Amino acid sequence: MQNFQIKIPTNLVFGKNTHHQIGELIKPYATKVLLHYGGGTVKRLGLYDDTKKSLTAAGIPFVELGGVMPNPRLSLVYEGIELCKKEGVDFVLAIGGGSTLDSAKAIAVGMCYDGDVWDMFDGKAQITATLPVAIILTIPAAGSEMSPNSVISNEKLGRKCGMGSDLIRPVVSIVNPEFFTHLPKSQLGNGVADIISHIFERYFTHTKNCDITDGLCESVLKTVMKNALIAAENPTNYEAWAEIGFGGIIAHNNWLGVGRDQDWACHGMEHELSAYNDVAHGAGLAVLTPAWMKYVYKENIDMFVQFAVNVMGVEGSFRDPEAIVLEGISRLEQFYKRLGLAQSLSALNIGEDAFEEMAKKTTGAFFGNETGRGSFKKLMWQDVVEIFKLCK
């Protein structure tokens, strides 16, 4: 196990009716708020009106900016920064899923930076200050409600990049699983695939003696997968959604990744799918992850045997570890299929003609600075093309 430090300052408020507390919870931080959200869902759920009432009751003035889309756009971030400057906003409150909070975090950082906020995503600058942010979560998936990360799509450049700093962890996150029971099966599948991938990116490692985090990863994986199937059959099952929602938080606040090398190759590859064809993040991960596993498992077959046995419940002779691994991967593919997720890149309308460019962007070769992706197996652009071919 490696040395580690983790600091999570987020006040997580979890459970039924907790969203009514938002005004009082953010009052110590805010004198004027940007209320940031996506489309009509928050209004149909009554969450928009409840939030405005809570802010008004707490005596907190606010301005609004809607329009956040999946794979949140840099253009809306720019609009939010200008609005906040004009209105003297000192706090950003997101209502929605991870995309809304990612956009909110980017606006908050941009408010405290004299240059172009894209510099943070492009690696040209580091985050040194930010406005505080909070969220009322409506979709369990990205884990952004307790994470130090934000991912934004730059429409003009055709790129999707992330930034990270403990400074952008939300100061308050309200997670009320009652709102999840209204989600369609497609969002359940996409969200669960994202949650699972956040764990995989940490779980598959060469770092030895990580028994505690190994066990935590395996427990959260099994819990989320079990309850995803329950929610797929009964979308109004609050308890199943509560398990999924808490699993999404734990999956990405980095408790599961401390003391061990992490990979993140699948996320890097998927960002190019989203940038190329606006693919839903979880949908892309569900296609790429089994292919990545097939390509890299021989780098540490024992780690994959452990996954197949402890998470996917595979039984068999340990004299044939490869058969155990491949059965585990097959069961994962079947799980994704039961959630209605795509099984190939062609199903996501991405053809082989795009593979090389996407692969080169993934590893940096397209920009003349190839650093590769991942730590479990360092992937260069030719490796990424081969993984794309496995899931075409």
Side-chain angles (χ1 to χ4, degrees):
M1 184 185 297
Q2 301 167 350
N3 294 358
F4 66 87
Q5 178 178 347
I6 186 167
K7 179 182 180 182
I8 306 178
T10 306
N11 180 10
L12 174 65
V13 184
F14 189 101
K16 295 180 179 180
N17 296 315
T18 48
H19 64 287
H20 295 293
Q21 303 175 38
I22 188 62
E24 289 301 320
L25 287 169
I26 69 173
K27 191 173 182 178
Y29 308 98
T31 58
K32 192 170 187 179
V33 168
L34 173 66
L35 190 58
H36 198 35
Y37 54 92
T41 301
V42 296
K43 295 182 178 180
R44 289 195 300 272
L45 295 175
L47 182 52
Y48 173 81
D49 288 336
D50 286 346
T51 301
K52 292 203 303 181
K53 288 177 184 176
S54 184
L55 293 175
T56 300
I60 304 173
F62 58 89
V63 295
E64 302 178 27
L65 179 63
V68 181
M69 302 172 66
N71 299 316
R73 278 35 172 194
L74 181 63
S75 57
L76 189 66
V77 171
Y78 289 152
E79 185 178 341
I81 293 169
E82 290 304 311
L83 178 61
C84 289
K85 288 179 178 177
K86 177 182 175 182
E87 297 289 340
V89 163
D90 62 0
F91 192 98
V92 185
L93 171 60
I95 312 176
S99 293
T100 306
L101 183 51
D102 281 1
S103 183
K105 289 176 177 179
I107 291 169
V109 169
M111 279 290 292
C112 299
Y113 180 61
D114 290 335
D116 186 342
V117 69
W118 181 250
D119 291 345
M120 310 295 178
F121 295 93
D122 202 25
K124 295 177 181 177
Q126 299 296 315
I127 301 169
T128 58
T130 181
L131 298 184
V133 298
I135 186 170
I136 304 174
L137 190 70
T138 60
I139 303 172
S144 195
E145 61 272 16
M146 213 170 180
S147 84
N149 305 105
S150 169
V151 179
I152 293 292
S153 294
N154 185 324
E155 314 98 298
K156 289 185 177 180
L157 298 179
R159 298 185 65 194
K160 182 177 178 181
C161 300
M163 66 174 178
S165 168
D166 281 332
L167 293 173
I168 61 172
R169 291 186 192 265
V171 294
V172 174
S173 288
I174 291 181
V175 179
N176 178 356
E178 291 175 298
F179 295 121
F180 307 161
T181 62
H182 300 273
L183 294 171
K185 187 176 180 179
S186 61
Q187 287 188 309
L188 166 65
N190 290 340
V192 166
D194 196 9
I195 291 169
I196 288 173
S197 183
H198 288 155
I199 304 172
F200 285 159
E201 301 283 19
R202 297 170 165 93
Y203 179 69
F204 290 104
T205 184
H206 296 295
T207 309
K208 301 291 187 181
N209 302 114
C210 296
D211 292 353
I212 290 177
T213 43
D214 275 2
L216 290 171
C217 286
E218 291 163 2
S219 177
V220 180
L221 282 168
K222 289 188 290 185
T223 299
V224 169
M225 294 173 76
K226 169 188 171 183
N227 284 280
L229 296 177
I230 294 172
E233 291 296 321
N234 181 7
T236 62
N237 187 313
Y238 173 88
E239 297 300 337
W241 279 112
E243 297 285 1
I244 295 167
F246 189 36
I249 295 165
I250 297 298
H252 202 37
N253 68 5
N254 207 38
W255 268 117
L256 304 185
V258 296
R260 56 202 293 147
D261 285 331
Q262 302 180 22
D263 190 74
W264 296 99
C266 285
H267 267 67
M269 290 186 287
E270 199 295 314
H271 286 171
E272 296 308 323
L273 306 187
S274 294
Y276 176 78
N277 200 34
D278 207 24
V279 171
H281 185 49
L285 289 169
V287 171
L288 288 170
T289 300
W292 173 84
M293 290 178 166
K294 293 171 187 176
Y295 193 77
V296 307
Y297 74 85
K298 292 181 181 179
E299 298 293 314
N300 186 344
I301 197 167
D302 291 343
M303 185 80 244
F304 273 90
V305 169
Q306 180 177 323
F307 162 71
V309 173
N310 290 357
V311 178
M312 304 310 299
V314 178
E315 297 179 352
S317 171
F318 287 106
R319 296 187 181 187
D320 192 359
E322 189 166 15
I324 293 175
V325 169
L326 293 177
E327 175 63 20
I329 297 171
S330 176
R331 292 188 185 189
L332 178 66
E333 291 175 314
Q334 291 303 308
F335 168 76
Y336 288 144
K337 188 174 182 179
R338 290 179 69 180
L339 293 182
L341 289 157
Q343 302 290 290
S344 66
L345 290 179
S346 59
L348 300 176
N349 298 313
I350 297 177
E352 194 167 353
D353 59 316
F355 288 1
E356 183 173 326
E357 181 176 331
M358 291 192 303
K360 287 182 175 179
K361 286 183 175 178
T362 298
T363 64
F366 186 86
F367 310 103
N369 181 31
E370 184 168 35
T371 56
R373 279 284 183 175
S375 63
F376 193 84
K377 175 179 173 62
K378 181 66 73 174
L379 304 177
M380 309 312 284
W381 74 264
Q382 295 93 340
D383 298 303
V384 176
V385 167
E386 293 305 312
I387 292 171
F388 287 158
K389 287 179 178 179
L390 286 173
C391 50
K392 67 181 181 179

